[in-house]
Amino acid sequence: MSRDSSSSVYLGVDVGTGSARAGIFDQKGKLLGSASSPIQIWKEKDCIEQSSTDIWHAVCAAVKSACSLATVAPEDVVGLGFAATCSLVAVDADGSPVSVSWSGDTRRNIIVWMDHRAVNQAERINASNSPVLQYCGGGVSPEMQAPKLLWVKENLQESWSMVCRWMDLSDWLAYRATGDDTRSLCTTVCKWTYLGHAHMEQWKESDSRDMEACGWDNVFWEEIGLGDLVEGNCAKIGRSVAFPGHPLGSGLTATAAKELGLLPGTPVGTPLIDAHAGGVGVMESIPDQELKADLTDEEAICHRMVLVCGTSTCHMAVSKNKLFVPGVWGPFWSAMVPEFWLTEGGQSATGALLDHIIENHVAAPLLSNRASSQSISIYELLNKMLLSMSQEQNSPFLSALTQDIHVLPDFHGNRSPMADPKSKGVIYGLTLDTSEKHLALLYLATIQGIAYGTRHIVEHCNAHGHKIDTLLACGGLAKNSVYIQEHADIIGCPIILPRENEPVLLGAAVLGAVAGKKFPGVRDAMKALNAAGKVVNPSSDPRVKKYHDAKYQIFRSLYEQQLSHRSTMAQALQ
C-alpha cells in the first residue's frame, strides 16, 4: 500500500552501540513508523569491537521493518540519511572487512567509539602540542580516531598494511549505500582532527558542498607517526569532504537498494555522528512561550545546549564565534549546524553507568522480575519506589533521600571538562545494606552524579564565552522522568523535550530531506521538522537549590581528592 505522492516521506537510519534503527517521517517531522535490529559487540577489557557486515544486515532489516510498519512503498522515500556512533571501520581495496582485533577475526573490523585501548597513544599524541589539538579541547581523547589508528599501526601491522580505507562508521554506511567515498565534515572535524574552517571561504563563494579535503594537517599526521595516511591526497582517510545533507554519488546503488528494499537512485545525504544528528533533530524544538523576544534567531540558538542521553551523553552547543573551552571538544566549524561553531562536551558512561550500577547490585534480579510482572522497566519501578520512600520518610523532597550517598560518575573516565580518561568512579557512603531500597538510593545518587557532571560542563562552557540557559534533551534517558527532573533542578535550567521520541532518527531523516532537495539546507529542514513537546522546569523550592548546591560542592571535591590520592600513590611507588 503506497501513500499519496504529495506526502513524500524521509527515512533516517541510526546505528547506536547496541542496535541499528530506522524511522520514517512525514513532511512535518512526525514519526510514522520505526524499527530496530540488534547488533553484535565483542568486549575484552579495553578492547570493544563490532562487525560492519553484521551492522549492514541489521540496517537492512530495520529499514524494511520500518517501511512495512509505516506502510511506505519504496517510491515514497524521497531521501535517506545515516547517523552512527563515531566508531572506526577498516576495509580493504574490495571493501571487505580487515580485522582490528587481537583475535584476528576478520568479522571484527570496527573499533567501537567507547574502546579505550589507545590511552597511551592519545597521551603521546597530546605531547606533540600540534596546533590542531586546540580544536579538540587541547588534546585528543582515546575515543577519537588518531590514537586508535596509531594503536593499530603499532600492534596489528598485517592489518595496517591491508587497509585501503579507514572510515567513521556513518561515512562507511553512506559509502556502502552509494559507492561514494566522500566523508562528512561532521565526522572528520569532530573525530579526525580535520580543520573544517579551511572551507569557510568556499562556503561563501560556491554553491558546491562537496569539496576537496583541504583541512588535513599533514605535518600533524607525520609528527605522530602516521605520515603514510596522508599519501595519495589522504586517500585512506578522505580525499573529499561534504557538508551534512549533501547528496552523495547517484544515490543508492542497485545492490544497496535491493538489500534495503528501496529504489536505486534514492538520494542519500552526507551523514552525521549520532549525537550530532540528535542535535539536528531537536535544536529548533522551542515552544513559543520559551522563545526570547529580545534575541535574534542567530543569537537564540546560541543560548541552547542539547543533551543527547544514551549509553553516553553528548552536550552540544553552538556559537557564531569560535570559543575555545579547555577540556571540551571543539570548536568545530559547521560540524552540526552549518556556519556555526560547535562545542561538544560529553560523559563517556551515563546510560551504561546506570545499567552497571543496577545490574551489579544483589537486589537487581528480584527487582527485574517484579518489573517484568508489572510490564514496566526496572527504571520505572525504581522511580515508583523512590516516590514511596520519600513519602514514608517524610522527606522534604525526593532528592533529599541521598543526603548520605555521593557518586562521582567517572567509571569510564572523564571526557569533559577534565578530559581525564584515567579518572575513576567513586561511591561515597556505602554500608552493609543490600536491600532493594538501597539499590533505589544508589540509582538516584548516580543520576544526581551524572547531572552534577552536566552542570560542571555547562558552567565551564559559560565561563569560556557561552551563554547557555536552556537545555533540550533527547535519547533513551530523556524518557526517564526522574532523570530529567533531577537535571533541571541541579542545573537550574528548563529542559525541553522534543515532540517525537526519536530525534536522532529525525536528525538523520533531515539529511535525507536535504539530499532529496526538499529544503535548501539543514537549518531550513530543522525549522520545518523539529517540534517541541513537554517543558520540565526546575523546582521553585529554594531548599532544593540549597541541597543540590551543597551536593555539587561534594561532587567537585571527590575528583580533587582522587587527584591527590593518585599523586600520593605514584610517589609511594617511585
Side-chain angles (χ1 to χ4, degrees):
M1 173 180 154
S2 170
R3 62 188 62 247
D4 186 84
S5 61
S6 65
S7 58
S8 314
V9 298
Y10 314 125
L11 171 58
V13 173
D14 169 40
V15 177
T17 308
S19 65
R21 301 178 307 132
I24 305 283
F25 295 86
D26 69 13
Q27 293 180 11
K28 292 184 177 175
K30 195 153 181 54
L31 182 65
L32 303 175
S34 66
S36 72
S37 185
I39 54 179
Q40 196 168 0
I41 191 163
W42 290 271
K43 293 183 180 180
E44 288 162 19
K45 296 186 178 175
D46 284 336
C47 295
I48 307 174
E49 294 147 1
Q50 287 179 323
S51 157
S52 63
T53 306
D54 172 59
I55 284 173
W56 183 252
H57 289 152
V59 165
C60 294
V63 167
K64 287 175 180 172
S65 295
C67 288
S68 174
L69 285 166
T71 60
V72 161
E75 59 268 22
D76 292 334
V77 179
V78 296
L80 160 63
F82 289 101
T85 63
C86 45
S87 301
L88 178 65
V89 185
V91 292
D92 66 15
D94 300 324
S96 300
V98 177
S99 177
V100 290
S101 172
W102 283 121
S103 69
D105 184 342
T106 52
R107 290 175 302 167
R108 292 156 73 164
N109 70 317
I110 297 178
I111 301 180
V112 178
W113 66 270
M114 65 167 73
D115 181 290
H116 271 208
R117 71 181 71 184
V119 170
N120 176 266
Q121 285 76 12
E123 286 176 351
R124 282 187 276 133
I125 290 169
N126 291 336
S128 73
N129 292 320
S130 167
V132 304
L133 298 178
Q134 65 182 312
Y135 288 94
C136 44
V140 294
S141 157
E143 293 174 18
M144 292 179 178
Q145 309 305 15
K148 290 173 178 171
L149 290 162
L150 187 56
W151 184 93
V152 175
K153 184 175 183 180
E154 292 176 347
N155 293 279
L156 301 174
Q157 289 173 350
E158 188 179 343
S159 290
W160 182 258
S161 63
M162 289 170 63
V163 174
C164 179
R165 287 184 177 89
W166 291 102
M167 309 184 81
D168 231 79
L169 178 54
S170 61
D171 283 324
W172 178 82
L173 290 164
Y175 167 67
R176 179 68 177 75
T178 65
D180 186 341
D181 188 19
T182 297
R183 311 298 174 94
S184 168
L185 203 56
C186 175
T187 58
T188 51
V189 169
C190 296
K191 303 300 168 188
W192 296 73
T193 71
Y194 187 83
L195 302 176
H197 47 285
H199 297 288
M200 287 177 92
E201 292 308 312
Q202 281 174 270
W203 170 269
K204 291 168 188 167
E205 290 169 8
S206 165
D207 283 335
S208 172
R209 303 289 182 264
D210 184 9
M211 304 157 299
E212 186 181 339
C214 60
W216 294 117
D217 186 318
N218 293 3
V219 174
F220 165 74
W221 292 98
E222 286 158 8
E223 270 182 2
I224 67 170
L226 293 174
D228 37 347
L229 292 180
V230 300
E231 292 168 7
N233 290 332
C234 304
K236 289 186 177 182
I237 55 175
R239 279 183 182 162
S240 66
V241 298
F243 285 84
H246 171 79
L248 291 169
S250 302
L252 287 179
T253 63
T255 303
K258 187 177 180 184
E259 292 167 332
L260 292 162
L262 300 171
L263 294 183
T266 301
V268 177
T270 303
L272 284 163
I273 298 166
D274 54 356
H276 303 63
V280 166
V282 300
M283 204 149 210
E284 292 289 356
S285 302
I286 304 294
D288 291 342
Q289 67 270 23
E290 297 291 329
L291 289 171
K292 297 178 174 67
D294 56 330
L295 297 177
T296 67
D297 194 39
E298 284 204 336
E299 289 170 333
I301 198 172
C302 298
H303 281 249
R304 303 169 198 159
M305 175 177 272
V306 176
L307 308 183
V308 186
C309 318
T311 304
S312 63
T313 294
C314 291
H315 305 69
M316 326 290 280
V318 297
S319 57
K320 279 308 282 182
N321 302 313
K322 59 180 172 183
L323 300 173
F324 293 97
V325 185
V328 178
W329 296 346
F332 303 133
W333 187 71
S334 284
M336 187 173 79
V337 181
E339 294 192 275
F340 284 82
W341 293 88
L342 171 67
T343 295
E344 183 187 348
Q347 293 164 292
S348 294
T350 50
L353 176 57
L354 287 170
D355 288 345
H356 174 81
I357 292 292
I358 293 167
E359 288 164 9
N360 285 282
H361 196 283
V362 71
L366 213 63
L367 278 182
S368 188
N369 289 339
R370 191 181 311 154
S372 295
S373 69
Q374 294 178 28
S375 300
I376 59 173
S377 72
I378 196 165
Y379 296 109
E380 290 171 282
L381 181 60
L382 287 164
N383 291 349
K384 278 185 178 180
M385 286 174 61
L386 288 168
L387 202 58
S388 298
M389 288 163 65
S390 181
Q391 289 163 352
E392 283 166 19
Q393 296 175 28
N394 284 326
S395 179
F397 42 88
L398 188 132
S399 305
L401 290 169
T402 60
Q403 62 179 309
D404 295 325
I405 306 180
H406 308 282
V407 175
L408 183 70
D410 295 355
F411 285 53
H412 199 54
N414 183 290
R415 189 189 296 170
S416 318
M418 307 318 300
D420 181 359
K422 293 183 175 177
S423 184
K424 302 290 188 286
V426 177
I427 301 174
Y428 175 95
L430 290 175
T431 68
L432 294 176
D433 189 355
T434 58
S435 67
E436 297 170 17
K437 287 184 176 179
H438 176 261
L439 174 52
L441 290 177
L442 193 52
Y443 158 76
L444 178 58
T446 305
I447 286 176
Q448 290 170 343
I450 292 166
Y452 297 130
T454 294
R455 174 172 166 176
H456 193 190
I457 291 167
V458 171
E459 287 183 356
H460 188 66
C461 288
N462 284 347
H464 288 86
H466 281 279
K467 297 173 181 175
I468 298 153
D469 58 19
T470 302
L471 302 180
L472 299 106
C474 64
L477 292 176
K479 299 167 189 173
N480 183 327
S481 57
V482 169
Y483 188 90
I484 292 300
Q485 189 63 59
E486 290 297 301
H487 274 70
D489 292 346
I490 285 165
I491 301 155
C493 292
I495 299 183
I496 300 166
L497 301 174
R499 178 190 68 194
E500 299 304 322
N501 264 339
E502 299 289 357
V504 176
L505 288 176
L506 176 58
V510 161
L511 305 172
V514 175
K517 307 295 185 194
K518 290 293 179 179
F519 298 95
V522 167
R523 188 90 192 274
D524 306 277
M526 288 167 66
K527 287 181 176 178
L529 302 176
N530 285 193
K534 186 179 177 185
V535 179
V536 178
N537 288 300
S539 170
S540 56
D541 186 341
R543 296 174 302 169
V544 174
K545 183 181 185 308
K546 183 180 178 185
Y547 176 81
H548 285 306
D549 284 348
K551 282 204 75 165
Y552 180 59
Q553 292 309 313
I554 293 168
F555 164 85
R556 294 287 298 271
S557 73
L558 290 176
Y559 179 73
E560 287 157 17
Q561 288 171 30
Q562 180 180 158
L563 287 182
S564 170
H565 298 162
R566 248 197 255 171
S567 172
T568 299
M569 295 313 299
Q571 287 170 15
L573 289 167
Q574 278 178 357

